[in-house]
Amino acid sequence: MKDCRLEIFKKASLCRNFELELFNKVQEKIIKFPVYLSAGQEFIASTIAVKINEIGVSPDIFIQHRGHSTYLAFGGDIFQLIDEMLGRKSGCAFGMGGSASIQSKEKKIYGHDGLMGNQVPIGVGACFASKLPTIVFVGDSAAEEDYSLSAIGWASTKKLPILFIVEDNNLSILTEKKVRRNWEMHDVANGMKVKSFNISDDPMVIHKHLENSFDEPMLLNINTIRKFWHAGAGTDGENFDRYEDEMKFFGDEGKKIDEYNKNLVLEAWKKQLGKL
Ligand SMILES: Cc1ncc(C[n+]2csc(CCOP(=O)(O)OP(=O)(O)O)c2C)c(N)n1
Ligand SMILES: [Mg+2]
């Protein structure tokens, strides 16, 4: 179990260091369009990516904005991600997606068009056609859209091999969940006979809940904490930081992994910025 926790930390470390450097690049105004940083939420994608390797499946993956960690955790190319941030044709979305709409056809990661929640019906439709393992990542706000809820119902009716991951950071831009609704996603999904759980983003907790995924539709509402603003580079204040916590757990080995990924990211930026 410790081995798998370490594998997850390694992925999370790449994601965290990527976002920290991107934060700098936004502050330095090297990047001028809206950037949606996923720091603080990286253990969700990292844990799922490790788990699907263990069970030997390669699902279709549908994401929304704040997807850099998902892209990297599932093996998306870092150089193409940097190029996308620089608006280059060589970027993972040909320089046309920006931060919000990254994708990797190679890694079966389908990008978002900006209409919140529409990846849910699109992902469900794709899974209905393919009957192959599918993961849909959706924010706690995007999940509220009517078309998102009805699509979850259809996945249940058709018993599709689909995993809905609600990245619940309690925020829609700056509006907390309690202002928006008096119900929870896992309750609604359970009501539609989708096996659903409300859990923390502790990697070992997520890992445990992924047993038997894709046998039937499942929804995990995963409570997490966004480290930075909705868009751009700034902080709302100090919060619990799971990454720091996990690094502490691994002691010197954790620090070494963090340092390794920091250098990897810096070198990758240096290389791409050196290209005309
Ligand atoms: C249909 C629609 N409504 C509103 C918006 C504006 N909007 C963009 S992001 C966002 C909040 C998304 O929150 P959530 O899904 O929880 O993701 P998070 O930003 O918290 O990761 C909103 C309301 C939109 N893009 N599309
Ligand atoms: Mg949210």
Side-chain angles (χ1 to χ4, degrees), residues 93 105 142 157:
K105 230 174 161 183
T157 304

Side-chain angles (χ1 to χ4, degrees), residues 139-141 167-173 180 226:
D140 55 295
S141 166
E167 296 189 289
D168 185 352
N169 58 17
N170 188 38
L171 290 169
S172 174
I173 305 184
R180 300 171 353 230
R226 184 178 85 191

Side-chain angles (χ1 to χ4, degrees), residues 64 116-120 138-148 172 180:
Q64 59 178 47
M116 294 319 304
N118 76 348
Q119 75 276 29
V120 184
V138 61
D140 55 295
S141 166
E144 293 166 5
E145 298 291 356
D146 52 354
Y147 38 83
S148 164
S172 174
R180 300 171 353 230

